[in-house]
Amino acid sequence: MGGPEIPTRFGRLDAHHASDGVSSADGRLPDGDKDANHIRGIFGPKGFEDRDMVALSGAHTVGMCHGDRSGFEGPWTDDKLLFDNSYFKDLLQKPWTKETNRHGKPQYRSGETMMLTTDMALVEDPAFKQHVERYAADQKSWFDDFAKAWVRLQEFNSGELRDIL
Ligand code: HEM
């Protein structure tokens, strides 16, 4: 998809059986209709700083929201299969209009593309915004920060990982 190379280590074990699963437990995943404080409340306790939170949110440069899943709807960027820094450029440059979508969810629209309230928080909060501006101007700086933050997210709380399957 055009993104950075990311080293991946194997052997992460969060659960022995499906019944041990915690994937839908409250508070593990952020809600798309909340503000900057919520983003910090979710990622801060896991050791992430503002810069990491902005870098990770840039993953929304690929993929899309689905009305039948989250209730939010649409792709963030014009090419949802391309991993580039257009998410950050679009946040700064496109005109965004708040709307309530047909599933009753609040989101922002510009043409066929959308942003969540948490995405917009990255330009509304001055401390977050300086990182958005840097990543919009310098894709390599984002790729470097994203790769590092992704590895930390992937390996959070797990030890004894190995380089091969
Ligand atoms: C503030 C933090 C975040 C919020 C509120 C959030 C919220 C969401 C929501 C609501 C969706 C749409 C789900 C659906 O309807 O199918 C989504 C999709 C997605 N998120 Fe996030 N997310 C956050 C952070 C992240 C992070 C840290 C990553 C990865 C580093 C990420 C990667 C993705 C991707 C790739 C999709 C598209 C999935 C698809 O195309 O099916 N998001 N996110």
Side-chain angles (χ1 to χ4, degrees), residues 105-140:
K105 291 275 201 173
Q107 61 180 59
Y108 293 78
R109 167 178 297 278
S110 188
E112 296 303 307
T113 59
M114 62 85 67
M115 290 285 169
L116 299 167
T117 304
T118 45
D119 298 308
M120 294 306 292
L122 304 184
V123 284
E124 282 160 5
D125 181 281
F128 278 151
K129 189 177 181 187
Q130 56 173 313
H131 301 295
V132 174
E133 287 171 336
R134 192 160 42 83
Y135 296 148
D138 179 1
Q139 176 164 277
K140 179 164 188 316

Side-chain angles (χ1 to χ4, degrees), residues 30-32 39 43 56-57 59-60 62-67 69-72 76 116 118 146 150 153:
D31 299 325
I39 301 175
F43 289 99
L56 285 171
S57 296
H60 286 166
V62 296
M64 62 183 290
C65 292
H66 305 81
R69 297 188 208 165
S70 62
F72 300 105
W76 286 271
L116 299 167
T118 45
F146 181 82
W150 173 262
L153 186 67

Side-chain angles (χ1 to χ4, degrees), residues 9-164:
R9 299 199 296 157
F10 299 91
R12 181 171 183 135
L13 192 60
D14 290 307
H16 291 271
H17 303 285
S19 58
D20 298 335
V22 289
S23 59
S24 62
D26 268 357
R28 274 176 68 91
L29 290 174
D31 299 325
D33 58 359
K34 301 223 166 73
D35 63 6
N37 288 336
H38 176 67
I39 301 175
R40 293 191 176 103
I42 294 284
F43 289 99
K46 299 176 179 65
F48 292 103
E49 293 173 5
D50 283 3
R51 178 181 175 137
D52 308 309
M53 298 175 208
V54 176
L56 285 171
S57 296
H60 286 166
T61 199
V62 296
M64 62 183 290
C65 292
H66 305 81
D68 59 345
R69 297 188 208 165
S70 62
F72 300 105
E73 204 153 44
W76 286 271
T77 57
D78 292 313
D79 186 347
K80 66 179 180 181
L81 296 180
L82 183 64
F83 196 106
D84 69 358
N85 65 343
S86 51
Y87 168 85
F88 297 112
K89 289 182 180 166
D90 290 357
L91 268 175
L92 293 169
Q93 292 166 13
K94 281 188 176 178
W96 294 103
T97 308
K98 192 168 187 182
E99 67 174 18
T100 300
N101 72 17
R102 62 198 170 117
H103 304 283
K105 291 275 201 173
Q107 61 180 59
Y108 293 78
R109 167 178 297 278
S110 188
E112 296 303 307
T113 59
M114 62 85 67
M115 290 285 169
L116 299 167
T117 304
T118 45
D119 298 308
M120 294 306 292
L122 304 184
V123 284
E124 282 160 5
D125 181 281
F128 278 151
K129 189 177 181 187
Q130 56 173 313
H131 301 295
V132 174
E133 287 171 336
R134 192 160 42 83
Y135 296 148
D138 179 1
Q139 176 164 277
K140 179 164 188 316
S141 144
W142 174 49
F143 276 15
D144 291 346
D145 286 358
F146 181 82
K148 283 189 212 120
W150 173 262
V151 169
R152 281 172 55 208
L153 186 67
Q154 189 165 246
E155 299 190 354
F156 178 70
N157 250 353
S158 52
E160 308 203 359
L161 298 176
R162 52 187 191 273
D163 293 329
I164 53 167

